[in-house]
Each structure stands twice: as C-alpha cells, then as structure tokens.
Amino acid sequence: EPEVTQTPSHQVTQMGQEVILRCVPISNHLYFYWYRQILGQKVEFLVSFYNNEISEKSEIFDDQFSVERPDGSNFTLKIRSTKLEDSAMYFCASSEGLSAYNEQFFGPGTRLTVL
Amino acid sequence: LAKTTQPISMDSYEGQEVNITCSHNNIATNDYITWYQQFPSQGPRFIIQGYKTKVTNEVASLFIPADRKSSTLSLPRVSLSDTAVYYCLAPSMEAGTALIFGKGTTLSVSS
C-alpha cells in the first residue's frame, strides 16, 4: 500500500538554526500539506500546496516557514530560525483532491526538538 | 466551518462495541462528517466519511440522522489495538483545504 514517508524521524537543533523537514508524498497525489502537533495538544494545520504554489496557510505559517517541491518526489518544510516553541511533531500529508473533504494520507511525522 | 463536540475520553473492554457520538449543530449543506484515528506518535489516519444515513466499511460504521446535527462512529468488537484518539471533523466539499482537528476522543481499550 502506498504511503507518505518523512525524514528524519527525529531532529534536534539549537534555537536560531534552520531546519528542513522532508516528505515524500504518495506518487500520484498532487496536493500536499504540513501539520504540526505540539506535545499533548491538537493537530494544527500549517499549509497546503498545489502546482508549486501555496493554496492555503494558517496564522502559524509565518515568514519563518517556507515550503518547496524541489523535485518530482520531495516536499519540504523549512523553518528559517527555529524557536523553542517550534518543538513539535510535524506531519506531512498528501491527497488526490484539494478540498479538505478528500482523504488526506499522513506520514509518520518528524519530531523536532529545539534546544 | 461546523464546530464539532465529542467526549474527551471513553473506556471500553476488548470485544465490546464502542459508539462515539459527535455533535455538529451548525453543520452546513456541503459539509461531510469525517472521522480520523490517531495512534500515539503517529499521524492521523482516515477512518470513514459520510453525508447522511449509514456508511459502513471494514473498520467502522457511521450513523448520521436525518437532521445531520450529530453523528455516531461505531467500532464493532474493539481490541487493544483500537486504543487511540478519534477525531470527528466536518470538512466542506467546496471550501478550504485544511483539516481542523479538535481534541478528539481518547479511547482506552483494556483486556
């Protein structure tokens, strides 16, 4: 069964450093997403992406965040200058259709720890 | 966007049927009731989706009354591996790409 993969599974970084989280969406999906979940809290939407453009973003997704599809398979989330409060699980997802009505397939997540 | 309300937690024993009810009083015509499941340290996983009446798949059933102001996710004969957080969402078919998760219902299944 096709699945979304994410690397690394755990990333530890110092405050102020840049991190790039990587995702490989399901191959025939065209719509990609990033969510985050701070420990013990809700899953929060960050951004959706289609056709090399951001479709929608939340208030969390400020200028410190950026997304990119550098090639035909990878989808990345970059945090330019990490803060302590960026520590969370980051989930990538992909879907066949753009609306939230369509099933989104989530990856296993990257646990980001900012020290 | 329809607000959903569901119990914070539920306990069950193996082999029992579990019903989790979700309230969505302001659901709109184009909103679909959708349930996701999340195991610890994993991403959410789609379980089932419906618009009205009853939907059944290999994992669960979803009951939606005619007024669509609530819905019930039914898990038949749960096992220990069904211990997870279950989220009720009401995404629109036409508007928005974001899944808006609440706190969900933490289901604990014991032997």
Side-chain angles (χ1 to χ4, degrees):
Chain A
E1 185 179 321
E3 57 183 20
V4 175
T5 59
Q6 292 185 241
T7 54
S9 57
H10 192 183
Q11 172 98 44
V12 181
T13 190
Q14 296 290 327
M15 192 168 56
Q17 295 295 305
E18 174 184 286
V19 295
I20 297 176
L21 310 183
R22 291 183 167 79
C23 167
V24 178
I26 293 172
S27 61
N28 64 332
H29 287 181
L30 299 176
Y31 307 94
F32 316 119
Y33 314 83
W34 283 101
Y35 292 81
R36 79 171 186 191
Q37 186 173 32
I38 294 169
L39 186 64
Q41 298 190 25
K42 299 186 290 189
V43 177
E44 299 174 291
F45 169 77
L46 294 178
V47 66
S48 59
F49 189 86
Y50 166 67
N51 200 26
N52 284 318
E53 288 185 351
I54 290 174
S55 300
E56 187 178 353
K57 61 181 181 178
S58 71
E59 290 179 355
I60 302 168
F61 194 88
D62 61 20
D63 292 344
Q64 292 298 312
F65 292 88
S66 62
V67 288
E68 192 180 28
R69 185 134 162 96
D71 54 46
S73 58
N74 289 285
F75 179 50
T76 62
L77 174 70
K78 182 194 288 186
I79 309 175
R80 251 179 282 280
S81 178
T82 50
K83 308 188 202 58
L84 295 176
E85 53 265 36
D86 293 327
S87 294
M89 279 289 280
Y90 287 81
F91 296 108
C92 173
S94 68
S95 66
E96 290 181 338
L98 186 57
S99 166
Y101 155 84
N102 292 281
E103 178 179 353
Q104 293 185 16
F105 293 78
F106 285 75
T110 292
R111 180 172 300 282
L112 176 64
T113 302
V114 182
L115 303 176
Chain B
L1 198 64
K3 180 174 167 18
T4 60
T5 304
Q6 53 184 124
I8 294 292
S9 63
M10 293 183 71
D11 295 315
S12 182
Y13 291 98
E14 283 189 291
Q16 290 190 331
E17 178 183 78
V18 170
N19 295 309
I20 306 175
T21 297
C22 178
S23 170
H24 27 80
N25 289 318
N26 64 338
I27 195 164
T29 305
N30 293 322
D31 293 346
Y32 279 69
I33 294 100
T34 307
W35 287 80
Y36 279 75
Q37 172 193 56
Q38 185 181 26
F39 297 114
S41 299
Q42 293 188 29
R45 184 177 76 110
F46 174 93
I47 303 176
I48 198 166
Q49 182 181 70
Y51 187 79
K52 59 181 177 181
T53 65
K54 177 182 173 183
V55 180
T56 297
N57 62 21
E58 64 278 3
V59 175
S61 293
L62 179 59
F63 299 90
I64 306 166
D67 66 7
R68 303 199 333 119
K69 292 185 185 301
S70 66
S71 58
T72 300
L73 175 73
S74 181
L75 305 172
R77 299 173 56 80
V78 294
S79 63
L80 296 176
S81 62
D82 292 315
T83 294
V85 180
Y86 292 82
Y87 300 98
C88 170
L89 301 91
S92 170
M93 194 173 182
E94 296 180 341
T97 60
L99 288 173
I100 306 301
F101 290 87
K103 294 184 179 179
T105 297
T106 300
L107 173 64
S108 300
V109 181
S110 18
S111 54

